Amino acid sequence: NAGVTQTPKFQVLKTGQSMTLQCAQDMNHEYMSWYRQDPGMGLRLIHYSVGAGITDQGEVPNGYNVSRSTTEDFPLRLLSAAPSQTSVYFCASRGTGNTEQYFGPGTRLTVT
Amino acid sequence: SQQGEEDPQALSIQEGENATMNCSYKTSINNLQWYRQNSGRGLVHLILIRSNEREKHSGRLRVTLDTSKKSSSLLITASRAADTASYFCATDGSARQLTFGSGTQLTVLP
């Protein structure tokens, strides 16, 4: 199993540009989440999904959209990038009966 | 807002010493988990303790949970340079979403 994969690893955007961060998992996990991590802080939940077709907002959802058309994929869309969205983004997944969360390697995003 | 808060924010010890990190949280939980993050990498799950457990061991790791004080501690015994990393507690509550603390940066000096 590849686990949780994220692309790209690094991205630089200009203010106002849009882009999609990709996340995929091959463990047939129902739960998937997106977090952002800023220096000196823990992870803050952006959006999450409890299954295909079901998404919900986390702690910091503004400026981001998600969709979950399949169990495997959970892309995160930045609608109009802002410098405040400069961060490291982590995707994670977990099964319904298994409470351990598996993380992807992260995407380092810089918005100039 | 973050549920868990780790203490201390940074800890520096010599190889072979024990490292203790603490986590406090605010609301009721189903379980509490500890994760490790090496610099520039994703988080890796270390250990989970359920709300009805008081202590759990895994190798050199010992976790305690005091639900009356809403606190947990992670003890790493006989630390090694390779233990240098950030350590995060995460609480699993009624919303079934993990809420992470701000982490403890552990440095183990050779």
Side-chain angles (χ1 to χ4, degrees):
Chain A
N1 287 351
V4 180
T5 58
Q6 290 182 240
T7 57
K9 283 190 169 59
F10 302 93
Q11 182 70 49
V12 178
L13 292 178
K14 294 189 189 305
T15 297
Q17 287 184 316
S18 62
M19 80 159 294
T20 299
L21 279 61
Q22 302 292 343
C23 174
Q25 53 91 10
D26 61 0
M27 296 173 282
N28 203 32
H29 284 166
E30 291 296 316
Y31 292 109
M32 295 187 75
S33 305
W34 275 103
Y35 296 87
R36 60 177 288 173
Q37 184 178 33
D38 299 298
M41 298 183 71
L43 278 69
R44 291 184 291 169
L45 183 64
I46 304 171
H47 284 285
Y48 64 97
S49 169
V50 299
I54 307 168
T55 64
D56 207 344
Q57 296 181 347
E59 181 186 353
V60 289
N62 292 342
Y64 308 94
N65 271 359
V66 292
S67 60
R68 184 96 180 271
S69 56
T70 67
T71 299
E72 293 77 21
D73 300 299
F74 191 43
L76 177 72
R77 279 182 288 278
L78 278 69
L79 309 171
S80 177
S84 61
Q85 293 178 306
T86 292
S87 189
V88 182
Y89 291 85
F90 289 99
C91 179
S93 75
R94 64 197 292 206
T96 52
N98 180 347
T99 53
E100 174 182 349
Q101 190 148 255
Y102 295 83
F103 282 83
T107 294
R108 187 173 295 273
L109 175 69
T110 302
V111 183
T112 62
Chain B
S1 62
Q2 289 167 326
Q3 161 81 304
E5 292 297 330
E6 286 92 340
D7 169 60
Q9 289 188 334
L11 180 61
S12 185
I13 59 174
Q14 295 293 135
E15 206 164 25
E17 293 180 339
N18 295 342
T20 300
M21 289 159 266
N22 302 297
C23 170
S24 60
Y25 58 92
K26 296 174 184 161
T27 61
S28 62
I29 60 172
N30 295 317
N31 63 70
L32 186 144
Q33 304 178 30
W34 285 90
Y35 287 79
R36 183 175 101 172
Q37 183 181 35
N38 289 90
S39 181
R41 308 290 292 272
L43 278 71
V44 175
H45 182 264
L46 292 176
I47 194 166
L48 179 154
I49 186 164
R50 301 194 186 282
S51 60
N52 60 354
E53 296 176 312
R54 292 296 166 257
E55 187 171 313
K56 200 161 183 181
H57 296 254
S58 176
R60 292 184 297 113
L61 304 179
R62 173 178 168 255
V63 170
T64 62
L65 178 64
D66 186 335
T67 53
S68 66
K69 295 181 180 177
K70 291 187 169 57
S71 68
S72 173
S73 67
L74 171 68
L75 169 68
I76 304 174
T77 60
S79 62
R80 306 165 182 167
D83 294 328
T84 293
S86 292
Y87 292 81
F88 295 89
C89 68
T91 53
D92 187 353
S94 57
R96 293 286 293 147
Q97 294 304 314
L98 290 182
T99 305
F100 286 82
S102 53
T104 292
Q105 172 61 50
L106 173 65
T107 302
V108 181
L109 303 169

